[in-house]
Amino acid sequence: MYATGPLEAIRAQLRYFAGWQIRNVASVGGNIATASPISDLNPVWVAVGAKVHARTAEGTVELGMDDFFVGYRKTKLPPASVIEKIVVPLDGGPREVVKAYKQ
């Protein structure tokens, strides 16, 4: 299941995640929060149905990646929030196949 599922697709895209200098100081959460249209991982998060948990002063907010990006470099992250974790569902079953490609 995992050889063709969400984790393998994410792992494959991490190979292309930024240049070496950026990789040493960047984070996946920062990559999501900037909503870059050339991000290699953001389309994968959407495709696998990932959810972002963001911490605010009031508590935690769960945001689905399917409608997380609302425009050019714009997201539904609440103001002054911090991405706490990314949840990737692994219950797609044995027939779930997810592949990601870099052109």
Side-chain angles (χ1 to χ4, degrees):
M1 172 172 138
Y2 298 118
T4 58
L7 294 181
E8 177 57 25
I10 293 164
R11 187 203 63 77
Q13 286 305 98
L14 284 173
R15 209 170 58 198
Y16 303 106
F17 187 74
W20 287 106
Q21 297 88 351
I22 301 297
R23 282 186 205 181
N24 291 330
V25 296
S27 71
V28 172
N31 186 257
I32 291 171
T34 60
S36 173
I38 61 169
S39 168
D40 298 322
L41 281 173
N42 289 343
V44 179
W45 299 129
V46 174
V48 301
K51 297 189 183 310
V52 168
H53 290 230
R55 175 72 65 176
T56 68
E58 291 79 35
T60 301
V61 177
E62 181 181 272
L63 303 162
M65 291 295 286
D66 56 345
D67 64 349
F68 179 81
F69 302 104
V70 295
Y72 180 75
R73 294 198 176 268
K74 296 192 185 308
T75 69
K76 287 189 174 181
L77 273 176
S81 64
V82 175
I83 293 178
E84 186 174 57
K85 65 182 170 181
I86 304 153
V87 178
V88 177
L90 299 177
D91 58 356
R95 295 179 182 241
E96 178 180 38
V97 176
V98 180
K99 291 286 186 182
Y101 299 94
K102 171 84 172 172
Q103 289 187 325

